[in-house]
Each structure stands twice: as C-alpha cells, then as structure tokens.
Amino acid sequence: MRRRLLASTLAAVAVAVVLLGVPLGVVLRGVLEGQALQATTREAEQIRTLLAREAQSPGEAAALTELGALATGARVTLVD
C-alpha cells in the first residue's frame, strides 16, 4: 500500500513538473530572444549615431565601421 501511494505521488509530481516546466521554458526562450534582439538593435543604433556624427562621407563611414570591426573582431555590413 505504501509503495503504491509513493509511486502515484511521484508520478503526479513528475506530470506536474512536465506540464508546468515546458510552457515556462517556451516563455523564457521568447523573453531571452527578445532581450538579445533589443541589445543588438540598441548597439546598431549606437553605431549608426556615431557614424552619422563622425563621418563626412559614406566612404568615411565605411572606413570607420571597418576599423571598429577589425578592433573588436566583429563583422559589420553597411546597408545604404
């Protein structure tokens, strides 16, 4: 009797963890993706603002971007 009670309790707990954990994981993934997108957008805006302030021509903006990419090891693509 005691074993059956323990087994059914453990089964109920396992089902509850799965039923609550999976949706939580899906929501958490969406939140993390949104935060990463916001951070990337914020960095792109900062780069665009810096280039608009510092560059006198599109060619100079490309050169500044290239220097920044070389210094950080990042890859930057300019889109006009």
Side-chain angles (χ1 to χ4, degrees):
M1 177 75 172
R2 193 175 273 188
R3 277 189 186 161
R4 250 191 298 174
L5 184 61
L6 181 62
S8 64
T9 302
L10 288 176
V13 168
V15 168
V17 167
V18 169
L19 289 177
L20 297 174
V22 171
L24 179 63
V26 170
V27 168
L28 185 60
R29 180 179 178 189
V31 168
L32 291 176
E33 285 179 354
Q35 287 177 346
L37 180 61
Q38 287 177 350
T40 304
T41 303
R42 191 170 37 252
E43 288 177 17
E45 287 294 325
Q46 290 172 348
I47 290 171
R48 186 172 68 155
T49 302
L50 176 67
L51 289 176
R53 228 182 318 163
E54 299 293 328
Q56 301 297 322
S57 68
E60 190 175 303
L64 285 172
T65 303
E66 220 174 281
L67 285 174
L70 291 176
T72 62
R75 183 175 175 189
V76 177
T77 304
L78 286 180
V79 178
D80 190 38

